[in-house]
Amino acid sequence: MVTSPETCAQEVLEVVPVVMRIIRGKMRQHRAADLSVPQFRTLAFIDRNAEASLSDVAEHIGLTLPSMSKIVDGLVVRKLVTRETHPDDRRRMILTLTRSGQTALETSRTATWACLASMLAPLTDGERTVIVKAMDSLRPVFTVRLESSLKTAK
Amino acid sequence: MVTSPETCAQEVLEVVPVVMRIIRGKMRQHRAADLSVPQFRTLAFIDRNAEASLSDVAEHIGLTLPSMSKIVDGLVVRKLVTRETHPDDRRRMILTLTRSGQTALETSRTATWACLASMLAPLTDGERTVIVKAMDSLRPVFTVRLESSLKTAK
DNA sequence: TATTGTTATACTCTATAACTATA
DNA sequence: TATAGTTATAGAGTATAACAATA
């Protein structure tokens, strides 16, 4: 079976926005955490990358610095993230999750997983396997490369 | 191979937002059309469903009536859509694409397809086939009926 | 001079509540 | 009364441009 890039693109363009809308809704629905998708992704990145700078996060999430700055503002106000200046380079910020931030991330992640999982449960194992394989193919294609800014920063 | 709903959900939750962000960027990038994703989806729906009402569009895109109304406002101002009252029920709107609207839709669709296709081109045929199959599985799962939530909201 | 980040400003997207017009 | 849609209002997400602080 041959699948042209065009056909594949068409399918992706049709389905991904629909899935995205559901994910967004699910996340907002969990009042305990109440995180938007960008907020969730920001917390997740900071969790995975200790002492990340604002530029690191912005680059990975794919936002401009001002946009990222504003999102982090909100997270700091909600006390989910702390923002300190780096002792060795006072231009840089060191972003860290607070205890609350870790909890919010975990709560949101678990609840959203559970919701999505229940939606995916009616599918067959085979279908889910295909979906996972598809995601594994798509991930590197659409992931912004961090050209070592993180590593050099550390 | 067994893939649990949880594993599948995790993968979807991780990859879909990344793909979505690229799609959004690509769409905005084509200055000729310059459509946001919701605008694009709205035009596509009106194109597929002649004489759609505002409620029809809102329900299928998954937005509230005021949100949809505002999006359509913008499209009407840009002369991509016409908004007329239905002769048989003057509460209803009849939404139709203008010539410009058809052109904008086609331009945006083609350009975005081409961009995505070029990103998907390095994958193997097999990988693309898997992606298409995955999208076909995901589509019905996430194409959710919103009537219930809309009605209870009233 | 280059880098990191913030502020100012201006959009779009989105929701809820209150309203109008029509049925 | 019920339905279709708009207006009012508010807040988040996003971008560009201009700026400040630091290196």
Side-chain angles (χ1 to χ4, degrees):
Chain A
M1 180 172 176
V2 174
T3 303
S4 72
E6 287 72 22
T7 300
C8 190
Q10 179 175 351
E11 291 273 313
V12 168
L13 187 52
E14 189 181 320
V15 174
V16 164
V18 176
V19 177
M20 192 60 201
R21 158 152 293 286
I22 300 297
I23 291 177
R24 217 180 281 137
K26 291 298 177 200
M27 269 188 186
R28 286 242 172 72
Q29 193 174 314
H30 307 302
R31 296 296 170 196
D34 192 30
L35 298 174
S36 70
V37 172
Q39 287 172 335
F40 175 85
R41 293 185 65 205
T42 301
L43 291 183
F45 181 83
I46 296 174
D47 187 45
R48 283 196 309 272
N49 301 274
E51 310 208 332
S53 76
L54 191 66
S55 297
D56 294 333
V57 189
E59 183 175 348
H60 179 266
I61 307 286
L63 292 180
T64 60
L65 270 174
S67 299
M68 201 66 240
S69 183
K70 223 177 147 187
I71 287 177
V72 169
D73 272 349
L75 296 173
V76 168
V77 166
R78 287 174 62 183
K79 298 195 192 306
L80 302 179
V81 166
T82 59
R83 187 168 39 183
E84 303 165 282
T85 57
H86 194 294
D88 297 347
D89 181 346
R90 300 187 33 207
R91 295 171 303 182
R92 296 181 75 88
M93 294 287 106
I94 296 179
L95 303 173
T96 315
L97 293 197
T98 63
R99 187 67 58 87
S100 277
Q102 290 170 353
T103 305
L105 175 61
E106 208 43 52
T107 301
S108 183
R109 180 141 52 194
T110 305
T112 306
W113 278 354
C115 267
L116 288 185
S118 74
M119 297 182 77
L120 296 168
L123 298 179
T124 66
D125 259 324
E127 287 177 307
R128 284 194 295 268
T129 300
V130 165
I131 291 170
V132 168
K133 282 183 183 167
M135 294 300 127
D136 286 341
S137 293
L138 290 172
R139 192 198 329 266
V141 170
F142 289 95
T143 299
V144 181
R145 287 279 140 238
L146 283 182
E147 54 278 16
S148 76
S149 92
L150 245 187
K151 277 152 199 160
T152 57
K154 290 178 186 172
Chain B
M1 178 173 178
V2 174
T3 303
S4 71
E6 286 72 22
T7 300
C8 190
Q10 180 174 351
E11 290 274 311
V12 168
L13 187 53
E14 189 180 319
V15 174
V16 164
V18 176
V19 176
M20 191 60 201
R21 159 150 297 285
I22 301 295
I23 291 177
R24 216 180 281 137
K26 292 298 177 201
M27 270 189 186
R28 284 244 170 72
Q29 192 175 316
H30 307 302
R31 294 296 171 198
D34 191 29
L35 299 174
S36 70
V37 171
Q39 286 171 336
F40 174 86
R41 293 185 64 206
T42 301
L43 291 182
F45 181 82
I46 295 174
D47 186 46
R48 283 196 309 272
N49 301 273
E51 311 210 330
S53 75
L54 190 66
S55 296
D56 294 334
V57 189
E59 182 173 346
H60 282 260
I61 306 287
L63 292 179
T64 59
L65 271 174
S67 298
M68 201 64 240
S69 182
K70 223 177 151 187
I71 287 176
V72 169
D73 272 349
L75 296 173
V76 168
V77 165
R78 287 173 63 182
K79 296 196 194 304
L80 303 178
V81 166
T82 59
R83 188 169 37 182
E84 303 165 280
T85 56
H86 195 294
D88 296 348
D89 181 346
R90 300 183 38 204
R91 294 172 305 182
R92 294 181 76 88
M93 294 287 107
I94 295 180
L95 304 174
T96 317
L97 293 197
T98 63
R99 187 67 56 89
S100 278
Q102 289 170 354
T103 304
L105 176 61
E106 208 44 51
T107 300
S108 183
R109 182 141 50 194
T110 305
T112 306
W113 278 353
C115 268
L116 288 185
S118 75
M119 297 183 77
L120 296 168
L123 298 180
T124 65
D125 258 325
E127 287 177 306
R128 285 194 294 269
T129 301
V130 165
I131 291 170
V132 168
K133 282 183 182 166
M135 294 299 126
D136 286 341
S137 293
L138 289 172
R139 193 197 329 264
V141 169
F142 288 94
T143 303
V144 181
R145 290 281 70 91
L146 297 172
E147 301 97 296
S148 53
S149 72
L150 276 178
K151 270 168 195 155
T152 56
K154 290 172 191 167

